[in-house]
Structures are given as structure tokens and as C-alpha cells.
Amino acid sequence: MRHLLSTSDLTYTQAIRILDTAAEMARISEGPVKKLPTLRGRTIVNLFFEDSTRTRISFEAAAKRLSADVINFSAKGSSASKGESLKDTAQTLQAMGADAVILRHSASGAAQRLANSHWTSGSVINAGDGTHEHPTQALLDAFTIRQHLRVGTGDLRGLTIAIVGDILHSRVARSDVHLLSLLGAQVILVAPPTLLPIGASTWPVQISYDFDSVLPLVDAVMMLRVQQERMSDFFFPTAREYSHYYGLNADRLKKMKPTAIIMHPGPMNRGLEITAECADSARSVILEQVTNGVSVRMAVLYLLLAGAPSEDGEITQ
Amino acid sequence: MSVALPAVDIARALTRIAHEILERNGGPDSIVLMGIPTRGAFLASRLAALIAGIEGREIPVGTLDITLHRDDLRLRPLRALVPTMTPLGGIEGRNVVLVDDVLFSGRTIRAALDALGEMGRPKTVQLAALVDRGHRELPIRADYVGKNLPTSKGQAVKVHLSEIDGVDEVLVENVEV
């Protein structure tokens, strides 16, 4: 593996390896000394053309725990706001010697473009590109589910997971669908027809428009944020109606299996897709997802950057 | 390829090391064994069983993955991580005995010392190796050695253990012709 652009590029073995490595990283993060010398002398650039809190901080924490040097670049307050292109920005970073670029961009496919170009020789990690993919989020979701429902090892065979809400604008949903089904889970998408992308019927998922009938079946329910900033059109009549049909509330919580967990990639619109009561309930693993994000990103950085460059990128024992 | 240490010699060496560890530390009370995966971990379990047999009580055993502390990560293909298991009661203030199969350049042990520091501050750290083949690149020595095996750098020393290789033996191979 040289880049991490999409969860659909991952093989089953690679996905399991990332999760297993993340489990070791999590163990270290619980110890008294949360710092490893592994990536000392490597430079990692956080190249963020879109706003982000947790992803950028999470990558920064992961890189710093592995002793890499981190350069944060956000489009605001940089030459990108003066109209500098992705190409020029990437070449500038290359000239400064970046070993890896963590890219978030509003254009779908931006990470792929950067990886295919010769603008940078480093590894490219996709931290969200438009409405396309957000692979590290899916990996941390899978890791969290595995910790809770599969005692932290193996895959997700036999589990049913509902992804609920704004699938159309969600890169998290796309990455999750690929990864969770690769790991053997059954995914059910629950959304109003207007918020399902064209072509979702070809994905390896079931589709439902009725949240209440799905609830008793699932082991985990993943609520998605309604991405109002990407909505140039009206996708549902009112926020109240959306909450009524697709929001997670106390009544729906009662219909879930007693072991089922509640997830959300954040940031949450409390009161819209999820009530505060559900977000803060004992079933919610939303904050654990954030903690696990650091471990998963440490694993990805380790697997992409630690070894000597090799042709096939395969791993030795 | 020649057998430098057959199964019976390995068993004798481990028994002797178990006695030496007890002697040096004045009994089993403060001892913690930390095996370095893969084969060092099996050797640590064997030593623990031998010590339990002698003293009639269990001593804590753990494993210590040193991959993330290696200084040659960029020179070699990527390595998979193996689980580290903290021994019961931790290592704080204990006499920790690192256990590895072959002592060679000493770089693994240097990495292990760093990895231990992440877990706590032991009272002492000692080193047990089944085979010491020489060619140290760092000022490191073993406290307990199964067998000193003079080798040239062109040779490879392979330790096979019944837990994963089906047989107990130490082999010396000529790699460069």
C-alpha cells in the first residue's frame, strides 16, 4: 500500500491488517507514555481545503504520537484563498519535502488526482474528497464496531448495520458501505428517496425507507449528518418532518436490540438527525469513535510510511 | 547446514538459565519474564514453567513487541505488529528478564529497552538469550546465555521451537558461498 484513497481499493487482508495494527496502537495510547519514535524525521502535511475539526486534529495527534513532524495547511489564510491551484500547492509542499500528504478537498476525486500526478512523491491519504470517500472514517467505524460486537478481533460477519440519513451527500456512507460489506457485514441504507444517490441500488446493500421496521434488526445504527451546506435544493419538506421519519429519538431507541450501539461520524446536528438523549445515552459510542480515530490513523500512517519503499508493498512477519 | 544445538541441549540450557535467574535474583518474588516475539515469547513461557516447577509458584510473563522502536524500519520491508502483553502486576520496580532466541547485533535489545520504558520503570533489566552468536554492534551483553556460538557474518543462525516449527533445534547455515 502506498496511498489510501478509497476503501474500495482495500483487500480483505489489508483491511484486517489495518484494524489489527490499530488495536496495537490503541493499547499504546492507553499506556503511560503515548509517544513512539517510529516515524521520527518524517514530515506529514495536513492539506485541508475544507473545514474540519476532528479529522485534522485526529491525524495531527496520530502523526505526533508516532513522532512525525506535522505541517498544517488550511485553505483559509493561505495562498489557496488567493486562487492557487491544488497542483501549485502540492508542488510547493513537495519542494519542502513532505513524506505524506493528508488531503481534504471539496472536489470528489481530488486525492486520486494528487496520487496519480507527479506533483508529490509522498503517500497520499484521502481525508475526505467531496461526496466521494472518507476511508479513515470508515476504518474507525469498523474498528469501533469490532471492539463492541466482535471482542476486537476478526471481521464483522453476521452483523447488520443501518446507515441512516443523508446518504446522497455522505462520503462516509460510501466508504462505510464498501468496507463494512468487505468485512462481511450486512448494510441497510435508510433514507428518504431524495437523499439516496442514483446507483445506490447497485451497491452491496439493502435499501429501506422505513426506519422503524429496520430498527429491531440491526446491531449498530449509524446516523449521518444532514449536510445542509452541500444542499443547493430542497430534499425534504421541513426539518421537523425529517426528524419525525428519520431522526433517532428515545422512542426509536426502545425498538433497538439491547446490545445495539449508536454511532455518528460527527459533527452532530442535535435535534435534527439525533436527539441529545440518544447522543448522550449509554448505547452511544460516538466519543469512542473519536478516540479510535487516532489509533486507526496511527495504523494507517505506520503501514504507509514505516517500511522501506518496495514494489509490491507487502509486509513481512 | 548443521545442527548446533539439538533438542536435549536446548532443554538443558533452559533449565540451567531458569536456575541462574533464580539465583541471581534471590528467588522468584521480584522476577518478571518478558519474551520478545516470536520465538523469545515461547522461550519466556518455557522458562516460566521451569521456574514454576522449581519454586512451586507461578511468575508473571509478558511479551514485548519492539517493531515500532526499531531503528531499521526504513531499511527493510514493512513489518506486521504483534501483540504486546503486559504481565500481571506490570513491570514497575520489578526485575525484568528479557528473553530472546538469538543475540546478534544487539539492536533488537536496544529497541526492547526503549519499548520497556514505555511500560514503566523496572528495578533492573536482565537479558537471557538461547544463543549468543557474537558480532555486536552496540554495547550490550546477555546475563544468561544458553550457548555461545561463534559464527561468521556470512552464516545464518535459525532457532526452531516445537511450538511453531514442530521441532526443537538450533541450525547454522552458510548463506554466502
Side-chain angles (χ1 to χ4, degrees):
Chain A
M1 262 200 324
R2 183 146 171 254
H3 307 294
L4 179 66
L5 305 174
S6 151
T7 52
S8 53
D9 296 339
L10 292 174
T11 63
Y12 177 84
T13 320
Q14 284 173 329
I16 293 287
R17 182 182 302 142
I18 294 172
L19 298 183
D20 287 346
T21 307
E24 276 306 298
M25 297 296 183
R27 187 193 54 74
I28 289 156
S29 302
E30 285 162 10
V33 183
K34 295 181 178 57
K35 186 110 177 162
L36 291 161
T38 315
L39 295 180
R40 203 166 53 192
R42 302 297 193 105
T43 303
I44 293 171
V45 177
N46 267 330
L47 184 55
F48 277 62
F49 288 92
E50 256 191 358
D51 293 339
S52 159
T53 316
R54 69 202 71 213
T55 305
R56 187 178 59 74
I57 292 175
S58 180
F59 267 113
E60 186 171 348
K64 285 183 170 168
R65 280 190 194 169
L66 293 172
S67 301
D69 295 314
V70 183
I71 298 172
N72 282 311
F73 174 102
S74 60
K76 279 185 194 133
S78 74
S79 296
S81 57
K82 299 178 192 161
E84 190 175 44
S85 66
L86 175 60
K87 177 176 178 176
D88 289 329
T89 306
Q91 284 176 331
T92 305
L93 296 171
Q94 169 64 17
M96 291 177 190
D99 294 297
V101 176
I102 296 161
L103 178 67
R104 167 162 293 188
H105 202 283
S106 58
S108 299
Q112 184 79 51
R113 181 83 185 92
L114 185 60
N116 289 352
S117 73
H118 298 288
W119 305 335
T120 170
S121 60
S123 295
V124 178
I125 299 171
N126 184 0
D129 58 334
T131 59
H132 176 228
E133 285 239 21
H134 189 356
T136 55
Q137 176 70 40
L139 285 161
L140 78 87
D141 289 339
F143 184 83
T144 307
I145 294 168
R146 194 171 85 145
Q147 291 296 91
H148 274 272
L149 303 172
R150 282 293 177 264
V151 297
T153 55
D155 60 22
L156 307 180
R157 223 162 288 174
L159 295 176
T160 305
I161 296 151
I163 303 178
V164 186
D166 186 358
I167 315 282
L168 179 65
H169 299 99
S170 175
R171 49 196 175 209
V172 175
R174 281 168 185 73
S175 288
D176 268 324
V177 164
H178 292 307
L179 183 68
L180 299 177
S181 47
L182 177 70
L183 294 172
Q186 172 66 53
V187 178
I188 306 177
L189 300 180
V190 183
T194 48
L195 286 175
L196 279 167
I198 296 167
S201 56
T202 64
W203 295 357
V205 296
Q206 291 174 20
I207 292 173
S208 170
Y209 306 121
D210 180 6
F211 195 12
D212 290 291
S213 70
V214 167
L215 279 166
L217 310 173
V218 298
D219 299 293
V221 52
M222 197 179 298
M223 304 306 298
L224 297 176
R225 183 171 65 94
V226 176
Q227 303 198 27
Q228 278 149 335
E229 79 279 13
R230 292 190 209 277
M231 291 185 184
S232 52
D233 215 336
F234 295 101
F235 291 90
F236 44 83
T238 62
R240 195 159 158 238
E241 185 174 327
Y242 180 85
S243 300
H244 180 70
Y245 285 105
Y246 295 102
L248 189 63
N249 53 34
D251 286 340
R252 292 206 163 100
L253 191 61
K254 288 187 199 123
K255 294 181 186 167
M256 290 166 60
K257 288 184 193 173
T259 52
I261 54 173
I262 299 169
M263 306 174 74
H264 193 299
M268 288 183 273
N269 293 314
R270 283 177 185 245
L272 182 52
E273 72 264 4
I274 187 166
T275 62
E277 198 180 356
C278 293
D280 302 330
S281 83
R283 315 274 286 277
S284 158
V285 298
I286 296 168
L287 285 175
E288 265 175 68
Q289 287 176 275
V290 178
T291 309
N292 292 339
V294 178
S295 305
V296 163
R297 289 175 178 118
M298 285 171 77
V300 168
L301 290 173
Y302 170 72
L303 292 169
L304 291 183
L305 294 180
S310 69
E311 287 303 307
D312 54 358
E314 267 324 297
I315 198 163
T316 55
Q317 291 294 329
Chain B
M1 185 164 55
S2 63
V3 178
L5 220 54
V8 46
D9 287 352
I10 292 178
R12 279 196 197 110
L14 289 175
T15 310
R16 174 172 52 76
I17 291 173
H19 282 285
E20 284 175 354
I21 290 173
L22 285 167
E23 189 184 3
R24 165 88 68 101
N25 295 289
D29 294 337
S30 60
I31 303 173
V32 173
L33 298 182
M34 292 295 286
I36 299 172
T38 312
R39 287 173 182 76
F42 294 121
L43 291 173
S45 319
R46 288 196 196 184
L47 283 173
L50 288 165
I51 290 173
I54 298 162
E55 296 289 328
R57 46 171 291 207
E58 302 285 324
I59 59 163
V61 193
T63 62
L64 187 65
D65 181 37
I66 55 125
T67 310
L68 294 167
H69 294 271
R70 297 190 75 95
D71 60 4
D72 60 355
L73 280 172
R74 295 182 70 169
L75 308 175
R76 294 169 172 236
L78 194 62
R79 290 157 172 272
L81 301 189
V82 280
T84 291
M85 280 181 296
T86 312
L88 217 62
I91 61 164
E92 203 66 37
R94 312 298 289 264
N95 292 314
V96 173
V97 182
L98 292 171
V99 184
D100 203 1
D101 51 355
V102 180
L103 179 58
F104 185 22
S105 66
R107 287 176 193 266
T108 301
I109 305 305
R110 185 211 57 81
L113 291 171
D114 282 356
L116 267 187
E118 201 178 87
M119 217 180 255
R121 185 180 184 278
K123 181 159 172 261
T124 63
V125 182
Q126 301 158 25
L127 172 61
L130 182 60
V131 173
D132 182 350
R133 62 165 294 191
H135 304 286
R136 215 76 76 238
E137 293 164 8
L138 296 170
I140 281 169
R141 63 168 178 77
D143 301 271
Y144 316 101
V145 180
K147 183 164 173 76
N148 282 301
L149 209 57
T151 54
S152 80
K153 278 203 159 182
Q155 291 174 315
V157 175
K158 290 212 170 118
V159 173
H160 290 161
L161 295 178
S162 56
E163 287 92 333
I164 46 170
D165 308 301
V167 60
D168 276 0
E169 61 184 5
V170 177
L171 303 175
V172 177
E173 282 176 12
N174 289 315
V175 179
E176 286 167 359
V177 185

